Amino acid sequence: MARENTQAPGVGSTPEAHSTPGAGRFAPSPSGDFHLGNLRTYTLAWLFARSTGRRMLYRIEDIDQQRSHDSAALDQMEDLASFGMDWDGEPIKQSDRFPLYDDALHWLAEHGWVYECYCSRKDIREASRAPHVAPGMYPGTCRNLTDEQRHEQRAKLAEQGRKPAIRFNAHAAYEAVADNDPTANGSHTTPGLWTIHEDFATSGQQSESAPPSESTPSSVPNTYSGPVDDIVLHRGDGNWAYNLAVVVDDLTMGVDQITRGDDLLSSAPAQNFLATALHPWATHASATTSATPAVHPTRWRYNHVPLVVTKQEMKGHENTNRQLKRLAKRDGAVTVRELGHDTAWAWVAQSLGHSEYASAPELLQVIDLEAMSHEPVVWTPPQ
């Protein structure tokens, strides 16, 4: 049974009580109730942070104003608190931080590290089929346009009632960051790739895409490498992009441990590179706003944990098989409030190998996070 938390949501221990600088974070989008996958990932985020002596922060990711609801944000905080998970300080809302994102974007622009993008999703999808473009990467269509070409493209969008998006010019920033930031030396051993510290998804092995290392997995944190990318910072519809918002937030909040689903592992190097490029700005921003000092992104630790999945029947011409797919709210009664808190917690605790423990603090005393399985966790609805 889930134990009631006697502390009010948002009230946790003081920063001085923690032995490790930096922090982990909850970062839910308040678009509805948590489902089991959300709850399991946030439980692990809390366990990873508290087991390493870190603060735990709470950020409400409500940049999508149309899908965000204050009532959902309150319900989510109450749900986590009911399982014994606390956090340090008051929650922050991304919707209160738009001026900070604007300041970061202007700083990048002053360095020549942004450009307008006029591509539609269809344009990008078709261009990405070219053999020289890596899957999921922006092909660079608008990166090197002339001023005249930009003027023409801007006029075409205006006729359609659209505005350009703003992209990070990772290629322009790469050499400057790699050459001028000695802290980043170990993160760019292969041109065009960026390396992060991945403590879970690659534990016990060196990532295939990572540069070779003479160190053994048992003596140093594991690594994962991926290409830098011209990711969107500000969308054409006028909204801030997730990529910029989370990077600015993690930098200025003093976050240095990021736990999330392993479907986001491939995007982590590009986001970490953007964070590294922005670190000088964040250092100044922290000093002027009395915010928590930014931890250099090359020291950030990532834990990309397995998703909760369901088995979906895939009907072919000759047979029917089952394919794993990510758990979603459309899969039926899978939210914490639909299942009930006791049932939801019992399933999460059982999935972590400790069904007998009734709260996150109790689980913290016994769980061996390094021994946790890397396989997807299959949710089977009760019969």
Side-chain angles (χ1 to χ4, degrees):
M1 179 176 178
R3 186 173 59 189
E4 289 293 328
N5 186 359
T6 57
Q7 292 181 318
V11 177
S13 51
T14 60
E16 291 77 9
H18 301 288
S19 58
T20 302
R25 40 75 155 177
F26 296 120
S29 298
S31 58
D33 292 339
F34 285 144
H35 62 59
L36 288 174
N38 303 138
L39 178 59
R40 189 177 192 273
T41 297
Y42 289 130
T43 299
L44 286 169
W46 188 87
L47 291 169
F48 273 114
R50 294 311 196 197
S51 67
T52 53
R54 285 176 166 84
R55 293 174 297 130
M56 190 66 184
L57 307 178
Y58 199 110
R59 180 169 75 232
I60 300 169
E61 298 203 335
D62 61 345
I63 52 173
D64 188 341
Q65 295 283 277
Q66 292 185 335
R67 298 181 65 245
S68 298
H69 307 283
D70 289 342
S71 59
L74 290 172
D75 287 346
Q76 290 172 347
M77 286 187 280
E78 289 176 0
D79 287 344
L80 293 177
S82 74
F83 301 121
M85 286 178 267
D86 61 352
W87 49 91
D88 300 288
E90 294 297 323
I92 71 159
K93 298 176 68 174
Q94 287 186 328
S95 57
D96 293 333
R97 297 166 68 81
F98 290 174
L100 199 60
Y101 306 153
D102 192 58
D103 190 54
L105 184 62
H106 276 84
W107 187 89
L108 290 170
E110 288 173 356
H111 286 73
W113 294 346
V114 301
Y115 61 89
E116 291 182 346
C117 177
Y118 315 98
C119 298
S120 66
R121 291 182 179 179
K122 180 181 178 182
D123 295 334
I124 296 172
R125 186 167 57 249
E126 292 178 350
S128 297
R129 294 172 182 164
H132 64 281
V133 179
M137 298 284 292
Y138 178 65
T141 308
C142 298
R143 185 187 304 134
N144 298 314
L145 297 180
T146 65
D147 289 343
E148 182 179 355
Q149 289 172 323
R150 294 186 189 283
H151 179 75
E152 292 175 357
Q153 292 296 327
R154 206 176 291 126
K156 288 181 181 179
L157 285 189
E159 291 176 359
Q160 302 169 22
R162 296 170 51 206
K163 293 183 179 180
I166 306 297
R167 286 187 179 272
F168 178 44
N169 193 335
H171 293 72
Y174 189 82
E175 289 189 11
V177 172
D179 291 343
N180 298 327
D181 188 344
T183 312
N185 284 342
S187 298
H188 60 94
T189 53
T190 303
L193 294 182
W194 197 254
T195 301
I196 62 167
H197 294 288
E198 171 56 46
D199 286 339
F200 182 78
T202 58
S203 63
Q205 61 183 2
Q206 188 80 2
S207 167
E208 291 182 0
S209 61
S213 172
E214 296 180 359
S215 302
T216 62
S218 60
S219 62
V220 297
N222 294 286
T223 58
Y224 177 86
S225 295
V228 300
D229 191 16
D230 290 7
I231 51 184
V232 173
L233 306 176
H234 192 263
R235 292 166 24 182
D237 61 7
N239 290 319
W240 291 104
Y242 168 84
N243 289 309
L244 179 68
V246 297
V247 162
V248 167
D249 290 339
D250 287 340
L251 276 169
T252 56
M253 292 171 66
V255 169
D256 74 337
Q257 185 188 71
I258 298 170
T259 301
R260 56 188 188 176
D262 59 12
D263 58 324
L264 298 174
L265 175 60
S266 62
S267 65
Q271 291 170 350
N272 187 272
F273 174 67
L274 172 61
T276 304
L278 276 170
H279 183 258
W281 166 83
T283 301
H284 174 73
S286 296
T288 56
T289 62
S290 299
T292 304
V295 178
H296 199 285
T298 56
R299 299 193 182 100
W300 290 3
R301 326 299 300 196
Y302 291 84
N303 297 297
H304 286 89
V305 298
L307 297 177
V308 176
V309 298
T310 60
K311 290 183 178 180
Q312 181 182 38
E313 288 191 356
M314 305 295 291
K315 295 183 178 180
H317 294 293
E318 299 180 357
N319 57 17
T320 298
N321 56 29
R322 287 180 175 270
Q323 178 175 318
L324 297 179
K325 70 179 185 69
R326 180 177 180 171
L327 183 71
K329 293 174 185 176
R330 61 179 174 271
D331 292 316
V334 296
T335 70
V336 171
R337 297 198 170 214
E338 288 171 327
L339 292 167
H341 285 69
D342 291 350
T343 300
W345 177 258
W347 185 87
V348 168
Q350 186 275 331
S351 77
L352 296 173
H354 294 280
S355 57
E356 67 274 26
Y357 294 97
S359 70
E362 292 179 10
L363 198 55
L364 179 62
Q365 303 305 313
V366 296
I367 193 168
D368 182 357
L369 293 168
E370 293 183 359
M372 193 171 66
S373 172
H374 291 210
E375 296 300 316
V377 184
V378 179
W379 158 252
T380 302
Q383 299 299 319

